[in-house]
Amino acid sequence: MYDIIGDIHGCFYEFVQLTEKLGYVWEGDTPIHPNGRKLAFVGDLADRGPQSLRVIDTVIALVQQNKAVYVPGNHCDKLYRFFLGRNVQITHGLETTVAEWEQADEKTKARLRTQFMTLYEHAPLYAVLDGGKLIVAHAGIRADYIGKFHQKVKTFVLYGDITGEKHPDGSPVRRDWAKHYRGDALIVYGHTPVKKPRWLNNTVNIDTGCVFGGQLTALRYPEMETVSVSSTMPYVAEKFRSFD
């Protein structure tokens, strides 16, 4: 039994609210479900929101205790490369996480860097759960990519089915891969903010744009129910994509 949570992007307050609404009880710094349900995260824990480090810390603790499944998103990948010392642009939300991290004391900075890098390095590119009936992938995955892990799969899973073109705001243009999905596994993903959970061809996008003033959403599996809480962040209408 899983509760799969969409892109949190540093919205720790809403994360706490959502887990409590799902029946989790916070013991110290981690949410525990009395019936043994397990959290799963579609990636993009950090950036743009106000408390990225608290979200990261919580997910690290949950994964260490084997109480959660985590797959990385493109923002996780960029933060990892920043911690590696690569020449990444500190833009598109990363600047908020870096600012938080730089304000921490040296011991905390070293711990967070090491623990996040370990989390990322040990995370599956996408999670195959419930005997292959359920797949959690940040931006989704094509049916013919399931079971494969080459560079094209990584690009797809992190960024979606990108065309190489850009929207006016600089974000990449993505094809609507879910329209063509015909696989047997349920694909649960995020990455592209939508106003409400989007079900299509045995896929569901649960990134409902919390950091842009929408909602933070979870899918309860196998119940196939979505549960959401409203965002406290300012609403940014142009950040939501519509494929319909």
Side-chain angles (χ1 to χ4, degrees), residues 2-97:
Y2 295 95
D3 296 306
I4 309 158
I5 296 183
D7 303 40
I8 301 174
H9 279 302
C11 295
F12 183 76
Y13 175 77
E14 290 85 349
F15 172 47
V16 172
Q17 277 197 315
L18 181 57
T19 53
E20 289 178 344
K21 192 172 181 179
L22 289 164
Y24 288 75
V25 177
W26 282 72
E27 297 178 2
D29 295 327
T30 52
I32 307 298
H33 199 282
N35 296 332
R37 297 183 69 91
K38 205 169 190 177
L39 289 167
F41 299 91
V42 302
D44 282 5
L45 307 176
D47 295 355
R48 297 194 175 107
Q51 293 181 286
S52 291
L53 300 190
R54 288 193 75 181
V55 175
I56 289 170
D57 252 344
T58 302
V59 174
I60 287 169
L62 286 165
V63 171
Q64 285 176 342
Q65 296 169 38
N66 196 31
K67 289 185 168 65
V69 174
Y70 158 80
V71 298
N74 58 303
H75 284 262
C76 304
D77 180 70
K78 193 175 182 182
L79 180 60
Y80 176 75
R81 288 184 283 120
F82 168 79
F83 282 146
L84 278 177
R86 301 276 172 83
N87 186 26
V88 299
Q89 289 189 330
I90 304 176
T91 55
H92 299 293
L94 179 59
E95 66 275 9
T96 64
T97 306

Side-chain angles (χ1 to χ4, degrees), residues 83 105 122-123 142 241:
F83 282 146
D105 60 70
H122 287 84
R142 281 174 18 188
R241 301 285 180 217

Side-chain angles (χ1 to χ4, degrees), residues 117-157:
M117 290 178 71
T118 300
L119 175 74
Y120 179 93
E121 289 165 359
H122 287 84
L125 183 57
Y126 53 90
V128 180
L129 305 170
D130 193 17
K133 295 176 186 175
L134 169 65
I135 293 178
V136 179
H138 175 63
I141 188 168
R142 281 174 18 188
D144 59 320
Y145 280 172
I146 296 169
K148 299 174 183 176
F149 300 93
H150 54 71
Q151 186 58 45
K152 283 186 177 178
V153 179
K154 182 176 181 179
T155 299
F156 193 103
V157 167

